[in-house]
Amino acid sequence: MGIEQRSDAGARLVPEAERAGAATMRAAIQYRYGPPSVLEMAELRRPSPGRGEVLVRVRAASLHPGDSYIMTGEPYVVRLAFGLRRPRHGIPGRDLAGVVAAVGTEVTALRPGDEVFGWSTAGTLAEYACVPARNLVSTPAGLSVVAAAAVPTSATTALQALRDIANVRPGQSVLVTGASGGVGSFAVQIAKAFGAEVTAVCSARNVDLVRSLGADHVVDYTRTDFTRTGKRYDVILDNVEAQPLAAVRRALMPTGTLIPNSGHGGRWLGPIGRVVDARLRSGFTRQRLKPFTSFGKRQDLLALAELLTAGKVTPVIDRTYALDDAADALRHVGAGHTRGKVVIAI
């Protein structure tokens, strides 16, 4: 009889002698921090849902830059949360869409066969994932699993930034940098849904894309520096942070709101230096400098589902990869300049 094994990354491996009778799943897993080449395909024991959990048969999982940072362990500050020497949870990914396979004894709102989307901290680049029921909502009718998987983290970030932090109102002017990226493509659409006049900053190749998302004005950053046009905005959602904070503030109304939202920065602390700078400066100006961290909330997933159903928000899909090509997908995300979201179809 085989001996049960556990990987260094916390996943439960299935011994060869037990594979015939075990409920298993395929998953991408990493045993150490590093480049995408550290990912391996493994056969793992299929998890069972706890009392308040749902076992989801994952059909699609999307990626965002944070997944790349966690994979590499850089900036090093991420290791404080995800494991100092090696990843505490070896399966990458957070966002998913799929079908309920089983529910825990305390789950009443969902049942097997329901189509759902949401997020899981246990990793989603696998055939199955256990997810707290509060992290899932029903997939809007007619929305594909690939599109649904693209929504949770990036769209929630855009929603919370514009609604909760900036309190965007009809008629306000909103500028979004990185407008063709994951968060940016959602932000352009959500700002328009809130009645704002939207200026999108992107490269020349993405001008038509962001216009199709509803942008009223487009700035090609390869030709024009938006901080030097003399135009000022009520809200700036800066997903790129290519210019110094002082330069971006020149484009902000005297009482406007600037939301830095980027993981760029040094190898050790990443964006923390810019966050500290913004908070220190905010005490000496009427401008609101508001770096923030988004948190997954079921109510926000429901709000996004309404926007999706109404046709006010449509996910932009850059590329779709197979699970076996997860390393290539993470390599593409880590390189930057994605158009919308990268999704793994499982």
Side-chain angles (χ1 to χ4, degrees):
M1 182 174 179
I3 299 174
E4 183 180 281
Q5 303 174 56
R6 190 173 297 274
S7 77
D8 288 339
R12 192 174 175 186
L13 301 174
V14 178
E16 185 174 354
E18 296 183 5
R19 287 175 184 168
T24 65
M25 67 177 187
R26 296 180 69 249
I29 189 169
Q30 64 179 107
Y31 303 115
R32 59 187 176 87
Y33 292 117
S37 58
V38 302
L39 283 184
E40 302 177 18
M41 293 303 303
E43 187 174 6
L44 309 179
R45 186 174 296 278
R46 187 185 305 173
S48 299
R51 290 180 297 178
E53 292 184 326
V54 173
L55 179 66
V56 177
R57 172 63 175 96
V58 182
R59 297 298 187 186
S62 71
L63 300 173
H64 57 93
D67 296 315
S68 179
Y69 302 143
I70 295 169
M71 176 189 67
T72 62
E74 294 183 11
Y76 293 134
V77 69
V78 304
R79 302 189 186 202
L80 296 177
F82 297 99
L84 292 177
R85 300 183 60 187
R86 60 179 63 89
R88 189 174 296 115
H89 301 291
I91 300 174
R94 171 179 167 86
D95 297 350
L96 60 81
V99 179
V100 174
V103 300
T105 56
E106 296 180 358
V107 177
T108 58
L110 296 170
R111 58 186 180 183
D114 288 348
E115 296 183 356
V116 293
F117 73 107
W119 59 83
S120 170
T121 58
T124 58
L125 299 193
E127 292 176 326
Y128 290 86
C130 273
V131 187
R134 64 180 181 275
N135 293 355
L136 296 168
V137 299
S138 297
T139 302
L143 190 69
S144 71
V145 289
V146 169
V151 172
T153 295
S154 293
T156 295
T157 298
L159 177 67
Q160 292 178 359
L162 296 172
R163 183 195 62 193
D164 302 339
I165 306 300
N167 189 27
V168 170
R169 300 179 298 279
Q172 285 190 311
S173 57
V174 175
L175 180 136
V176 179
T177 71
S180 61
V183 173
S185 59
F186 283 114
V188 169
Q189 297 177 79
I190 291 171
K192 285 300 298 180
F194 290 167
E197 179 181 349
V198 180
T199 297
V201 181
C202 63
S203 64
R205 75 184 184 101
N206 294 317
V207 167
D208 290 341
L209 169 63
V210 297
R211 286 197 187 280
S212 74
L213 299 177
D216 299 289
H217 314 284
V218 181
V219 176
D220 173 3
Y221 70 79
T222 65
R223 301 169 63 94
T224 304
D225 181 348
F226 75 88
T227 70
R228 296 182 179 277
T229 63
K231 172 71 174 176
R232 288 194 164 196
Y233 302 89
D234 295 303
V235 176
I236 297 177
L237 176 57
D238 191 1
N239 296 304
V240 178
E241 301 181 14
Q243 290 93 350
L245 196 62
V248 178
R249 287 179 57 202
R250 288 199 302 263
L252 190 64
M253 288 288 194
T255 57
T257 301
L258 166 60
I259 306 173
N261 178 54
S262 173
H264 298 306
R267 192 174 184 183
W268 286 88
L269 297 179
I272 289 180
R274 191 175 178 100
V275 169
V276 171
D277 185 22
R279 294 203 181 279
L280 288 175
R281 290 173 182 267
S282 66
F284 301 94
T285 176
R286 291 189 299 157
Q287 293 175 327
R288 300 174 69 240
L289 312 181
K290 303 288 289 185
F292 86 112
T293 301
S294 64
F295 293 95
K297 299 177 182 178
R298 187 171 187 274
Q299 286 302 118
D300 289 343
L301 283 181
L302 291 171
L304 290 166
E306 290 182 4
L307 290 170
L308 290 161
T309 300
K312 295 181 178 180
V313 170
T314 300
V316 176
I317 307 302
D318 180 353
R319 300 183 187 180
T320 303
Y321 292 82
L323 181 59
D324 286 338
D325 299 321
D328 290 335
L330 278 159
R331 188 174 292 110
H332 179 54
V333 170
H337 303 292
T338 59
R339 290 164 51 95
K341 297 291 295 182
V342 172
V343 180
I344 307 289
I346 302 173

